[in-house]
Amino acid sequence: MPPTLTPLHAIQNVRLPGKDATWDINFSPDSPGIITSITPHLNPNTNEHAPLALPALTHPHIHLDKAFIHNSPDYAHLLPSTGSFAEALSFTTGAKRLFTRDDLLRRGEWLLAGSVAAGVTAMRAFVEVDHTVDLTCLEAGIALKEEWKEACVVQIVSFAQDPLFSTDHGEENRRLMEEAVRQPQVDVIGTTPYVEATAEAAKQNIEWAVETALECNKHVDFHLDYNLDAGKEALVWFVLRTLKKKGWTVHSTDKRVMLGHCTRLTLFSGEEWELLSKEIRDNNIPVSFVGLPTSDMYMASPSSKGNDRPRGTLQILEMINKHGLDAVIGINNVGNAFTPWGSEDPLSLACLGVGIYQAGTTANAELLYECVSTRARAAIGLSSSEAGLTWTQGGRADILLFYDVDDTGCHVSRPRHGVAGVVWDPPAKTSREVVVAGRLKAASCSLCPKSAYRFA
């Protein structure tokens, strides 16, 4: 069940990124959940064990209905045997035939509870709609969204993993999606153009999603270009042409476009990257890219059967720093055939990014933290486009605190210094406490002291 949240007047004596000494973050009962001021802490002699306060974490792309399939005995016969993408599609379809509302609620709660404990206060959650599951996953997702709304903003994606314009079930899948996306609890339309039988059907899929999203005033989110085949057309260009044709700009709507996976783009030349960046920038298209490294590196490989099997995932930091693109990273899947490894903790993904992107500087660590926190929240349309890790008066009080505590049982606590410290070696969940809209989540243990809090 969702955690208990206790209102706060202030968080006192905390360390802030890029600032000396310690600070107090203050809230007002007249503006619940909003930071009213940030003031120097008056007792400088108490800062030795002060927690580090950072923005809370965000899942910009995570599948709610497929989480932890491998943790449920009902699906024990569907554990990977080859680890291939085709097998993952097949086994997941088999698992979906067994989905029940109770099962979906149970596994979804596992994901939400673990995510909130890690410090996640917002997520874009995909739930599938098709002829196999009908609206069952969507109904469970909406129920979880409502039940957990105080602890975590759950942005629901009505998601078509299956074809909409090809195969025997395309028409039925599209009819179900048409019904689903018009529900007010659905925030995003999501599709997977690459599963269509032909390139023409994939383009129909894209056009339908863009037109329907504009009609219904929803965000749109594509699983796109998930291959490493230089011989295949990169559909990102068709997406951009369609958005331009339909007049989707930052000036015409506050809704955003997310492009996920896009491993085909790792084969782009420098000139192609520059053209892509220019096309988005010059036409004011609100596009973000989300790299999903734990899935991409596990799944995306060339079709060649040779020994040389490079893996592809978007080079997120280069996209931001070199090409000026809006890009973030996400967990995607937890505990299923698409991604049998990794956890629901976004900070572990930021840590992985240090190695993937060969990003060992403190500046890179801070950027990686943004990619699973402030940048991720903005990319899914839940805050302004301004990134960074600094606090401002009037901002939403979603705060993650990191304490130096003994989580070893050996009476030893090891400090993490600054943002880089928590990215390079993420502290255990027992070392974290999360404040959601100015309210403290009940701690899972007694390791973290309460001296930092002034309760309402």
Side-chain angles (χ1 to χ4, degrees):
M1 65 174 59
T4 300
L5 301 174
T6 305
L8 298 172
H9 276 323
I11 306 173
Q12 300 174 313
N13 191 36
V14 298
R15 292 177 289 133
L16 300 179
K19 292 183 178 290
D20 296 327
T22 59
W23 300 77
D24 297 341
I25 305 174
N26 305 296
F27 318 116
S28 168
D30 298 328
S31 304
I34 301 299
I35 296 172
T36 55
S37 65
I38 301 172
T39 55
H41 187 62
L42 296 179
N43 186 353
N45 297 321
T46 61
N47 63 8
E48 182 180 357
H49 299 292
L52 174 65
L54 295 178
L57 304 174
T58 298
H59 285 313
H61 180 125
I62 197 160
H63 290 266
L64 183 62
D65 50 357
K66 295 187 291 197
F68 298 116
I69 286 175
H70 289 173
N71 294 70
S72 175
D74 296 340
Y75 308 104
H77 62 295
L78 295 172
L79 297 177
S81 59
T82 68
S84 70
F85 184 71
E87 179 188 68
L89 279 173
S90 174
F91 279 16
T92 301
T93 298
K96 284 163 59 177
R97 296 191 184 101
L98 303 176
F99 283 0
T100 65
R101 180 181 174 88
D102 287 346
D103 165 58
L104 289 161
L105 292 175
R106 179 176 64 254
R107 290 186 291 102
E109 188 169 64
W110 290 347
L111 179 63
L112 279 156
S115 298
V116 171
V120 171
T121 61
M123 66 171 64
R124 174 169 286 185
F126 290 77
V127 289
E128 298 194 14
V129 172
D130 55 47
H131 70 281
T132 301
V133 293
D134 202 79
L135 301 180
T136 304
C137 298
L138 176 63
E139 290 164 355
I142 289 172
L144 289 165
K145 172 179 180 172
E146 175 64 23
E147 184 180 4
W148 284 77
K149 65 182 180 182
E150 297 299 322
C152 184
V153 176
V154 179
Q155 200 183 60
I156 292 290
V157 186
S158 178
F159 176 53
Q161 172 74 68
D162 288 0
L164 299 178
F165 289 90
S166 56
T167 76
D168 293 341
H169 297 288
E171 187 174 345
E172 182 182 0
N173 293 339
R174 191 166 71 253
R175 177 186 61 78
L176 287 166
M177 280 288 288
E178 291 274 4
E179 178 183 351
V181 300
R182 284 169 168 76
Q183 298 195 29
Q185 302 94 333
V186 171
D187 306 284
V188 188
I189 297 174
T191 74
T192 316
Y194 63 76
V195 301
E196 300 284 1
T198 65
E200 184 56 38
K203 292 176 180 179
Q204 286 182 278
N205 182 308
I206 290 166
E207 288 181 325
W208 173 86
V210 170
E211 291 170 358
T212 308
L214 285 170
E215 176 191 344
C216 298
N217 196 31
K218 312 278 186 182
H219 303 284
V220 70
D221 198 311
F222 291 114
H223 286 50
L224 198 72
D225 291 328
Y226 201 15
N227 66 78
L228 287 174
D229 187 346
K232 284 188 176 181
E233 175 189 1
L235 285 173
V236 65
W237 303 114
F238 184 80
V239 170
L240 296 182
R241 288 198 301 271
T242 304
L243 293 168
K244 285 196 300 180
K245 179 181 176 181
K246 302 300 179 183
W248 192 322
T249 74
V250 294
H251 305 300
S252 65
T253 177
D254 63 348
K255 302 305 179 185
R256 297 192 56 80
V257 178
M258 183 76 85
L259 306 180
H261 293 294
C262 295
T263 52
R264 169 67 177 79
L265 275 59
T266 63
L267 305 180
F268 272 14
S269 65
E271 291 78 10
E272 287 174 304
W273 277 115
E274 285 304 310
L275 180 59
L276 181 68
S277 177
K278 186 176 187 301
E279 188 78 359
I280 292 170
R281 183 177 59 253
D282 290 355
N283 292 284
N284 296 306
I285 305 174
V287 169
S288 299
F289 294 87
V290 57
L292 305 158
T294 47
S295 293
D296 295 344
M297 296 182 70
Y298 177 68
M299 280 287 158
S301 64
S303 57
S304 168
K305 298 186 182 300
N307 293 325
D308 183 17
R309 301 184 64 205
R311 297 301 195 263
T313 192
L314 288 172
Q315 294 296 309
I316 295 298
L317 300 193
E318 183 176 278
M319 291 171 69
I320 296 170
N321 291 327
K322 184 175 180 179
H323 302 296
L325 293 164
D326 189 67
V328 297
I329 52 177
I331 293 289
N332 191 39
N333 278 296
V334 184
N336 63 36
F338 288 104
T339 320
W341 69 301
S343 77
E344 74 282 6
D345 180 6
L347 196 51
S348 68
L349 194 62
C351 179
L352 182 66
V354 175
I356 292 174
Y357 310 125
Q358 198 172 359
T361 68
T362 56
N364 282 331
E366 291 172 0
L367 184 52
L368 284 165
Y369 192 96
E370 290 178 25
C371 285
V372 294
S373 60
T374 52
R375 284 179 180 266
R377 192 178 183 102
I380 62 174
L382 291 179
S383 65
S384 72
S385 59
E386 295 178 4
L389 301 177
T390 57
W391 302 106
T392 58
Q393 183 176 331
R396 179 180 164 95
D398 280 17
I399 300 168
L400 182 55
L401 295 114
F402 296 90
Y403 286 86
D404 297 337
V405 301
D406 172 24
D407 57 8
T408 67
C410 300
H411 305 291
V412 174
S413 61
R414 177 166 56 87
R416 310 297 202 279
H417 296 292
V419 180
V422 301
V423 169
W424 291 338
D425 182 15
K429 290 179 183 178
T430 51
S431 302
R432 312 178 199 180
E433 286 200 330
V434 62
V435 174
V436 187
R439 298 160 299 165
L440 177 67
K441 171 189 169 291
S444 58
C445 71
S446 59
L447 291 179
C448 300
K450 296 298 183 286
S451 58
Y453 307 112
R454 185 156 59 85
F455 295 94

